[in-house]
Amino acid sequence: MFWNVTRALLDGLLTTFQIFLFTLLFSLPFGLVLAFGSMSRWRLPRYLIQVLVWIIRGTPLMLQLIIIFYGPGLWLGHNIWSGNESGRITATVVAFSINYACYFSVIFRGGIEGVPAGQREAGEVLGMTKSQIFFRITLLQMVKRVVPPLSNEVITLVKDTSLARMIAAYELTFAGYSFMKSNGLTWPLFYTGVFYLVFVGVLTLLFNYIERKLDYFR
Amino acid sequence: MAILEVRNIEKRFDNTKVLDNVSFSLEEGNALAIIGSSGSGKTTLLRCLNFLETPDGGSISVRGETLFDASMPRWEQEKGLRTKRLHFGMVFQSFNLFPQYTALENVMLSEKLLAKEQPDFKQHKKEIYARIEAHGEALLRQMGLAERMTHYPHQLSGGQQQRVAIARALALQPDILCFDEPTSALDPELTGEVLKVIRALADRKTTMIIVTHEMAFARDVSDQLIFMDEGVIVEQGVPRQVIDNPQEERTKQFLTRYAQG
């Protein structure tokens, strides 16, 4: 039985990991774009992004997931997500990416605005272009500032992946829960917890490593 | 001919005039000191010269070339802005070194980036970088920082950081080097080493504009002195004359207040 559970949980972990990885892959750059948009000199993108962030942060992720998964099918008459497991994962990644990009954008904006104006000015008087200033000067200082708040969000993301169960994606929590439903076993639930703990533990080590790596400057 | 001609510069922030009809010229190889109380517009003037602020009126020309004229259309003002900026170097009050780079990397960064824009960069990359590195090292040695090249800014004292910033500003060989209160953020015992470096630059006939509160230093080092108050030039002339024998009432008051500390 133990091996059966382990195999099932590893299966679920794979889905969890996919959701986690692809969400980060899309939401980090998208979040940066939103951050720039929210600091734009034009009013329109600023307001649009403010409204988007308000809506996304102001409503439950679970609700967003349900709307994104079932909405298109009901509005368009046909489901844009294929009915199999990969369709569910894709829908989850889309919902999560939008949600996390909004949170990240706020963190990034804080990180960029936290870099003193004098840094940009020093680059300007040295004849650097805007993109040189961003990539050569601002970016790394921003990264250093955003690592701690970002690590919080990323760890939350690990556990938020369990919401995919709502649309019947077979992720880790779903896998553990299924043994309780079918066999009345509770220990797989604790075992599932251990999987999350290890996952988050590895991430914590990774973030500590990054923080140490960036410790060489202040 | 003067290397720098500044004519009738005006600058407003909202409705307050911070610079009003500021005109002066500077000869090549001369050092100009600007004194005045805080809020008199000295820093804003330097920031206008470095295009960190856009003046609302007036013109700036270097070696006869008009870099800025308020009557130019906006696109013409901004055209070639990066190249125009390179006529001026800037040393900030708060150093503004890039924290993630070593002293040497700080000095070399802009030169390396500019070299990349040269058409023959790819073929000669190695030689070009070697030359830039030699140049950067020479500048830091000149600043007395031979032992500090691979240090990061946070590992350096304020005086050392400011000397790195001076080397960084010199790297692109600007026509005119501007100092914005270069010692105001330093502990008193560290101002000496920075002033010494600036003095050495003056001895080598570097064209400079120095905004400073160090009155004795301004008198000794500069060839020309401007006293500003409330956005206007109240008095300008030979440093000794202005400081030891001011003609204007406002200059007298300022110097008296200053002497009393």
Side-chain angles (χ1 to χ4, degrees):
Chain A
M1 193 64 201
F2 181 73
W3 294 116
N4 281 343
V5 174
T6 305
R7 214 175 312 122
L9 290 185
L10 282 174
D11 242 17
L13 180 67
L14 182 68
T15 301
T16 290
F17 190 68
Q18 281 175 333
I19 296 170
F20 173 79
L21 200 69
F22 285 109
T23 299
L24 280 188
L25 209 63
F26 295 119
S27 60
L28 285 171
F30 186 36
L32 193 59
V33 171
L34 288 180
F36 279 122
S38 66
M39 292 184 294
S40 164
R41 122 174 76 138
W42 295 293
R43 228 174 281 165
L44 188 71
R46 253 186 0 236
Y47 286 161
L48 286 178
I49 289 168
Q50 261 173 27
V51 171
L52 176 73
V53 170
W54 172 57
I55 292 172
I56 295 296
R57 292 202 302 180
T59 57
L61 176 53
M62 195 189 280
L63 185 65
Q64 293 162 20
L65 180 60
I66 294 169
I67 291 173
I68 283 187
F69 184 66
Y70 294 106
L74 296 172
W75 298 323
L76 305 171
H78 67 95
N79 199 350
I80 58 167
W81 318 110
S82 67
N84 59 21
E85 184 71 8
S86 78
R88 296 171 197 281
I89 294 175
T90 312
T92 309
V93 168
V94 169
F96 279 30
S97 294
I98 296 170
N99 183 278
Y100 273 82
C102 287
Y103 282 94
F104 288 157
S105 77
V106 179
I107 294 176
F108 287 152
R109 197 186 62 198
I112 293 171
E113 286 174 346
V115 177
Q119 292 287 309
R120 195 194 64 240
E121 290 177 354
E124 281 178 11
V125 297
L126 289 167
M128 293 186 202
T129 63
K130 279 207 163 83
S131 78
Q132 285 172 342
I133 290 173
F134 178 73
F135 287 108
R136 304 287 181 143
I137 300 173
T138 314
L139 184 62
L140 197 60
Q141 296 183 44
M142 176 197 101
V143 169
K144 188 181 166 78
R145 274 158 213 275
V146 301
V147 167
L150 211 58
S151 68
N152 259 338
E153 289 300 324
V154 171
I155 285 169
T156 305
L157 171 61
V158 173
K159 292 163 290 167
D160 274 355
T161 55
S162 63
L163 292 173
R165 198 178 80 82
M166 266 317 290
I167 58 167
Y170 192 75
E171 48 66 54
L172 190 51
T173 299
F174 196 167
Y177 177 68
S178 64
F179 289 98
M180 196 186 80
K181 263 199 320 193
S182 56
N183 305 50
L185 295 172
T186 51
W187 64 264
L189 293 176
F190 291 96
Y191 194 19
T192 304
V194 172
F195 273 68
Y196 283 108
L197 285 173
V198 172
F199 196 160
V200 170
V202 170
L203 283 176
T204 306
L205 290 176
L206 184 70
F207 277 111
N208 286 346
Y209 173 78
I210 295 172
E211 277 188 50
R212 261 205 322 279
K213 271 275 157 191
L214 291 172
D215 227 18
Y216 75 93
F217 72 88
R218 252 170 245 158
Chain B
M1 195 183 66
I3 190 169
L4 173 66
E5 285 277 0
V6 172
R7 284 186 218 93
N8 314 105
I9 289 290
E10 267 184 48
K11 178 70 188 171
R12 273 182 299 272
F13 288 132
D14 299 320
N15 279 325
T16 41
K17 255 192 184 167
V18 271
L19 290 176
D20 190 5
N21 207 15
V22 170
S23 301
F24 66 90
S25 64
L26 180 62
E27 297 295 325
E28 183 151 20
N30 278 6
L32 163 67
I34 304 179
I35 59 171
S37 47
S38 7
S40 59
K42 306 172 306 240
T43 295
T44 308
L45 178 58
L46 277 197
R47 291 174 61 84
C48 285
L49 293 179
N50 282 280
F51 302 95
L52 291 172
E53 307 284 353
T54 312
D56 297 309
S59 69
I60 299 166
S61 41
V62 171
R63 296 186 197 280
E65 178 198 349
T66 305
L67 299 183
F68 175 87
D69 193 321
S71 61
M72 282 176 178
R74 186 139 221 145
W75 64 269
E76 206 181 331
Q77 288 175 4
E78 287 179 12
K79 194 178 73 180
L81 186 63
R82 285 176 58 217
T83 336
K84 291 175 187 173
R85 278 199 166 115
L86 296 182
H87 289 287
F88 296 89
M90 178 78 157
V91 174
F92 296 90
Q93 183 178 349
S94 48
F95 329 136
N96 295 355
L97 291 181
F98 307 132
Q100 70 266 48
Y101 296 123
T102 63
L104 184 59
E105 287 167 344
N106 262 279
V107 176
M108 297 190 304
L109 180 63
S110 60
E111 228 184 323
K112 282 189 171 173
L113 291 175
L114 278 179
K116 279 190 180 172
E117 294 172 27
Q118 299 300 319
D120 61 343
F121 173 73
K122 284 240 165 73
Q123 297 98 290
H124 306 291
K125 189 173 171 179
K126 268 207 177 123
E127 300 97 276
I128 292 175
Y129 274 0
R131 203 188 58 224
I132 291 172
E133 192 167 335
H135 184 215
E137 287 172 355
L139 284 168
L140 285 173
R141 268 197 298 276
Q142 188 189 329
M143 296 296 131
L145 293 168
E147 315 296 318
R148 294 286 181 275
M149 298 201 190
T150 55
H151 285 55
Y152 287 94
H154 77 270
Q155 299 167 321
L156 299 170
S157 72
Q160 291 168 337
Q161 287 189 52
Q162 191 59 301
R163 285 184 282 151
V164 174
I166 295 171
R168 181 175 71 174
L170 283 168
L172 295 175
Q173 292 162 312
D175 292 316
I176 299 143
L177 185 56
C178 303
F179 293 86
D180 184 16
E181 302 190 21
T183 59
S184 294
L186 296 175
D187 293 334
E189 72 266 26
L190 297 176
T191 56
E193 62 186 66
V194 171
L195 295 183
K196 206 174 102 191
V197 162
I198 302 175
R199 197 182 296 262
L201 289 172
D203 290 342
R204 297 171 56 164
K205 296 288 162 209
T206 312
T207 314
M208 297 189 285
I209 302 176
I210 310 160
V211 167
T212 185
H213 289 298
E214 301 282 335
M215 226 50 73
F217 175 75
R219 187 177 57 184
D220 290 353
V221 164
S222 65
D223 305 285
Q224 185 183 344
L225 189 130
I226 285 176
F227 168 66
M228 286 183 72
D229 192 32
E230 294 183 344
V232 296
I233 295 182
V234 176
E235 192 163 346
Q236 61 174 315
V238 180
R240 274 170 206 287
Q241 241 151 43
V242 178
I243 290 181
D244 298 338
N245 190 17
Q247 301 299 307
E248 298 289 329
E249 198 50 43
R250 275 198 275 180
T251 320
K252 285 177 194 163
Q253 278 173 9
F254 170 75
L255 289 167
T256 319
R257 261 206 323 270
Y258 184 82
Q260 289 164 348

